[in-house]
Amino acid sequence: MAGSDWRDRYGTEGGGPRPASLGVMARVFSEDGLGKWALYAPTVFVILFFIVPTALTVVWSFFERTMFWMEPGFTLFSYVNFFTSARFENFLFSMLHSSVSVVVSFVVGFPIAVFVRRHVPTVAQHRVILLFILPFMVSEIIRTFMLRPVLGRNGLVNTFLTDLGVISEPITQILFTPTGVIIGEVLSFLPFIVFSGFLAMEAVPKYIFEVCQDLGASRWRTFWDIIVPLAAPGIFAGSVFIFVNGIGVALIPSILGGPGAVNAGLIATQAIIALDIPLAMAVSAIMMVTLFGLLAIGHRLFNLTKILEPQA
Amino acid sequence: MNETKDIAIEVVGLSKSYGPVRALRSVDIAIGRNEYFVLLGPSGGGKTTLLRMIGGFTKPTAGRILLHGVDVAHLPPDKRPTCMVFQSYALFPHMTVAGNVGYGLKLKGMSKAEIQVRLDAVLEMVGLNGYQARMPWELSGGQQQRVQLARALVLEPEILLLDEPLAALDEQLRKDMCIWLKHLQERVGITFIHVTHNQEEAMSVADRIALIADGELVECGDARQVYRTPARRFTASFMGESNLLDGTVAEVSGDGTVTVDVGIARVAVPSADATAGIQAAVSVRSEAMRLIPRDQAQGADEQALDAIYQEEIYLGLMTRQIMALPNGQTISVRSVSDDDEAPAFQAGDAVRVVWKTAAGRLHLS
């Protein structure tokens, strides 16, 4: 900065003193001023808010538990605790339930995305997709809680089915079971598969449908042979998002799930409530490893960087 | 041979409306077997709509489409003896060349060995042998279009539909591909229907050309005939570069010529039949005209118009000279460049535009 000060003061550039405002702005955003550091802002952000917390989570998961907090050390106690208790079983079940949510969301949500891409006029497509954001205007807690009077013993679904005469006894196997959690997850995460499916369909050119028609491919063949492979990176990204949320979001199982429907997020939350911080960290670390593992597999299969590239 | 047997496609009274917009109005065309037929016309004129209806991608509002005498209006694209080559490089981006070309055969449940045999044969035909394992993005535009052709031809269609197949290619490649396409059609010996807005492309491949504009069939004939003796005023304005003079028929003489009053003068054109007093237009191709100084007289078999010289545009092989008629209309004359004998004019010079009477064409519609 000292270098540009004398230039300003004596006006050696351009023969006269530059206007003060311009001088300051130019200095701040010049190559050798702040502008140079602006490029590093994202790096700093990632280090501060992603790498450091991740590393701390892993480090803390090996700490010793004390009465209210933890103390530095190295012990596998938390991991042993996790893998040898019912928590591990619950974790595996939550992965299963999450996978079911992914499949159901895909089956329900992806056709919506395909339909919007194929049959809605291009100008209206984004507006139609934006409609799926509307549920997010309502707090997730309220949205999830509202399912209780719908799915419960004397809830909307049961009353409706009883009145229709389809069932004589109310179904009690929905609320406070994994089924209830899956329904909650699908309703919560469906918009994401619609969004990601919509973006994924950008990789499927419109002419493809006519080519398939001309070659005599049935809708089914067109879907499996052409659309799914082309949209795979986007579908995968959406599925990973739902899957990870399914095992990580504590809210849904704590409102809709019973004792048998506990996911990793809820395990970690419960560990924190029990003041077992290292265990909570261990659960989080295991979730992160799961996520990175999935992303690594996905990247191997589909080259996930492709979904961020503009389509020709 | 029975005449109907020689017709591959017969389109009768075919119309297509999109709401109030009439994309195609009652078009009748008969396309012969093994013919290279071109649908030419300006963008939005309805030629692609016509092609898509023949292919089964668009349902007609009215009319019939007969392929080899069978009405196919109700059949989907894959049940018709047609195959389409699309304008964009419409390949499956995630499949190799072999995957793309073989996909149609795979859908038909053909064995791998048989697919392989057909695949090699068709790739040989389009000159892409050895490209089986390439991905579409590794190919040039021309190669991608040849893969599309292979994908269509491998299904052995009786009629191949080409929707602006060369539109995305650069000029030089387009010219090469035109000749290549023409030779390909001669080798495979099936009917090609080719849609283009490019006149040169149309002329270089076509056995016959149908000019389509504003949803109507304007004129149909072989390339030479459409270029040299267009019947309609629109054809004259679209094909090549013609000067058009609008007026009314003034006099019908017995010697096979008609005199047309074009406002600033009267010109004679050869014509078999016309009635005095009706609206008419005279067209003369710009390369059939030449310039002489105002004080020089035209030949006995020539027509002339007084004009004021404006400017010259050098186009390489040709030079275009632009003149203004007394009524303000511009006249364009093209001649081979660097012709030393051509007189040089300055802007503002009084000149005469002359042409052989036989080169004039009369258009009553």
Side-chain angles (χ1 to χ4, degrees):
Chain A
M1 282 310 197
S4 51
D5 272 344
W6 65 266
R7 263 189 239 134
D8 261 4
R9 222 169 283 146
Y10 301 105
T12 50
E13 267 182 350
R18 277 183 282 170
S21 61
L22 183 79
V24 170
M25 292 307 278
R27 246 183 300 152
V28 167
F29 292 105
S30 69
E31 283 288 310
D32 49 347
L34 262 186
K36 188 172 153 193
W37 295 103
L39 288 174
Y40 294 102
T43 318
V44 173
F45 186 89
V46 167
I47 290 173
L48 216 57
F49 295 104
F50 181 71
I51 294 181
V52 170
T54 307
L56 280 180
T57 304
V58 175
V59 170
W60 284 341
S61 70
F62 293 110
F63 275 23
E64 307 249 12
R65 181 187 177 188
T66 61
M67 190 65 88
F68 298 110
W69 190 235
M70 53 190 169
E71 60 184 26
F74 182 83
T75 173
L76 291 175
F77 182 78
S78 299
Y79 288 93
V80 173
N81 188 354
F82 177 81
F83 283 108
T84 56
S85 64
R87 293 188 182 94
F88 183 52
E89 203 182 318
N90 282 335
F91 178 71
L92 290 182
F93 270 113
S94 77
M95 283 176 83
L96 177 70
H97 301 150
S98 210
S99 310
V100 175
S101 301
V102 168
V103 172
V104 175
S105 299
F106 174 77
V107 169
V108 177
F110 191 63
I112 297 176
V114 176
F115 178 84
V116 172
R117 271 278 183 220
R118 278 207 66 184
H119 300 293
V120 175
T122 318
V123 283
Q125 282 182 359
H126 287 90
R127 284 175 220 166
V128 171
I129 285 296
L130 278 180
L131 288 179
F132 286 88
I133 286 183
L134 282 180
F136 293 104
M137 302 282 142
V138 178
S139 150
E140 196 183 359
I141 297 178
I142 296 172
R143 245 189 302 141
T144 313
F145 221 94
M146 286 309 287
L147 282 174
R148 276 197 180 178
V150 174
L151 300 176
R153 193 186 154 81
N154 298 314
L156 216 58
V157 174
N158 271 327
T159 319
F160 183 67
L161 291 179
T162 316
D163 288 354
L164 273 186
V166 178
I167 51 170
S168 53
E169 291 265 304
I171 306 170
T172 51
Q173 292 303 307
I174 306 176
L175 198 59
F176 307 128
T177 64
T179 314
V181 175
I182 289 169
I183 292 174
E185 285 179 356
V186 168
L187 290 176
S188 265
F189 303 142
L190 192 64
F192 294 105
I193 205 92
V194 176
F195 294 151
S196 59
F198 180 74
L199 291 177
M201 284 301 289
E202 205 150 88
V204 184
K206 273 206 161 182
Y207 62 72
I208 288 278
F209 299 104
E210 295 198 331
V211 175
C212 285
Q213 251 188 308
D214 201 24
L215 297 179
S218 61
R219 278 162 188 251
W220 191 245
R221 289 298 295 263
T222 306
F223 185 75
W224 283 113
D225 292 350
I226 314 295
I227 298 180
V228 170
L230 284 175
I235 295 170
F236 180 81
S239 300
V240 167
F241 188 86
I242 291 179
F243 181 78
V244 170
N245 267 293
I247 60 174
V249 171
L251 188 76
I252 296 172
S254 69
I255 295 176
L256 298 175
V262 177
N263 70 5
L266 199 53
I267 296 170
T269 313
Q270 285 166 354
I272 291 173
I273 293 168
L275 292 177
D276 193 342
I277 312 297
L279 177 63
M281 294 299 156
V283 175
S284 306
I286 289 163
M287 276 176 62
M288 281 190 298
V289 170
T290 313
L291 169 61
F292 285 129
L294 284 173
L295 287 179
I297 294 169
H299 188 62
R300 258 283 173 76
L301 292 176
F302 312 118
N303 184 13
L304 290 181
T305 49
K306 261 202 265 177
I307 54 174
L308 297 175
E309 281 170 14
Q311 296 294 327
Chain B
M1 199 186 279
N2 187 340
E3 202 189 311
T4 55
K5 258 187 130 181
D6 279 321
I7 292 173
I9 300 153
E10 200 176 355
V11 163
V12 187
L14 201 64
S15 302
K16 178 69 188 176
S17 305
Y18 295 99
V21 183
R22 300 188 68 191
L24 212 61
R25 306 170 206 204
S26 193
V27 165
D28 301 285
I29 292 181
I31 298 169
R33 194 176 281 231
N34 307 344
E35 190 171 25
Y36 202 131
F37 196 85
V38 171
L39 300 173
L40 174 68
S43 302
K47 54 196 192 307
T48 294
T49 306
L50 174 55
L51 190 79
R52 290 173 58 83
M53 285 198 281
I54 295 172
F57 298 100
T58 306
K59 279 203 160 58
T61 311
R64 293 195 305 155
I65 303 165
L66 304 162
L67 301 185
H68 296 131
V70 183
D71 193 340
V72 295
H74 58 285
L75 291 177
D78 57 305
K79 298 283 187 292
R80 301 184 182 202
T82 55
C83 253
M84 184 90 137
V85 172
F86 294 86
Q87 174 174 4
S88 49
Y89 310 131
L91 298 176
F92 301 122
H94 62 302
M95 291 186 185
T96 59
V97 168
N100 265 287
V101 179
Y103 187 63
L105 298 176
K106 201 172 123 192
L107 289 173
K108 291 198 164 155
M110 211 170 265
S111 74
K112 276 196 171 167
E114 202 175 343
I115 290 177
Q116 195 59 47
V117 172
R118 293 230 201 165
L119 191 71
D120 290 341
V122 79
L123 286 179
E124 178 76 52
M125 191 194 289
V126 299
L128 286 175
N129 211 347
Y131 284 73
Q132 277 88 337
R134 298 278 187 99
M135 295 303 284
W137 70 77
E138 297 175 303
L139 303 176
S140 70
Q143 287 170 335
Q144 290 191 42
Q145 287 307 65
R146 283 190 279 161
V147 175
Q148 262 214 80
L149 275 162
R151 184 174 63 190
L153 290 174
V154 80
L155 298 175
E156 298 179 343
E158 291 162 63
I159 299 153
L160 189 71
L161 309 174
L162 304 108
D163 183 11
E164 302 256 10
L166 311 178
L169 306 181
D170 62 58
E171 192 60 33
Q172 188 53 48
L173 187 58
R174 187 209 297 258
K175 284 179 184 164
D176 294 344
M177 284 287 283
C178 278
I179 300 165
W180 183 84
L181 267 178
K182 178 80 182 157
H183 291 163
L184 180 73
Q185 190 265 342
E186 283 161 5
R187 264 184 298 153
V188 295
I190 61 170
T191 312
F192 275 36
I193 307 180
H194 181 135
V195 161
T196 181
H197 62 269
N198 185 309
Q199 189 206 127
E200 196 183 324
E201 184 179 316
M203 305 277 280
S204 55
V205 294
D207 291 327
R208 278 199 307 151
I209 293 175
L211 193 63
I212 291 174
D214 284 335
E216 281 178 73
L217 174 68
V218 177
E219 200 166 340
C220 182
D222 67 56
R224 210 169 278 266
Q225 176 195 339
V226 172
Y227 184 77
R228 294 172 67 98
T229 54
R232 304 271 301 263
R233 186 185 185 279
F234 178 83
T235 315
S237 69
F238 189 80
M239 302 295 287
E241 194 185 299
S242 290
N243 293 297
L244 283 147
L245 302 162
D246 291 303
T248 48
V249 175
E251 194 183 320
V252 182
S253 47
D255 61 349
T257 62
V258 167
T259 307
V260 178
D261 183 353
V262 295
I264 47 167
R266 286 180 161 216
V267 292
V269 270
S271 174
D273 55 342
T275 335
I278 59 171
Q279 291 261 317
V282 175
S283 76
V284 185
R285 272 180 289 121
S286 64
E287 69 267 26
M289 286 178 155
R290 65 188 176 92
L291 280 184
I292 54 172
R294 182 71 62 85
D295 48 23
Q296 200 174 312
Q298 76 266 31
D301 58 347
E302 286 181 324
Q303 299 295 312
L305 285 176
D306 289 352
I308 301 295
Y309 192 82
Q310 287 192 318
E311 61 178 325
E312 176 184 285
I313 299 164
Y314 184 71
L315 302 169
L317 174 65
M318 303 292 269
T319 295
R320 177 181 299 137
Q321 291 165 306
I322 297 178
M323 273 67 57
L325 294 180
N327 62 4
Q329 191 189 341
T330 54
I331 290 283
S332 160
V333 173
R334 287 189 303 168
S335 57
V336 175
S337 297
D338 308 318
D339 181 357
D340 293 336
E341 295 190 8
F345 296 101
Q346 300 295 319
D349 283 357
V351 293
R352 282 161 81 80
V353 179
V354 298
W355 68 91
K356 290 255 189 296
T357 306
R361 300 158 307 190
L362 184 70
H363 310 290
L364 299 175
S365 59

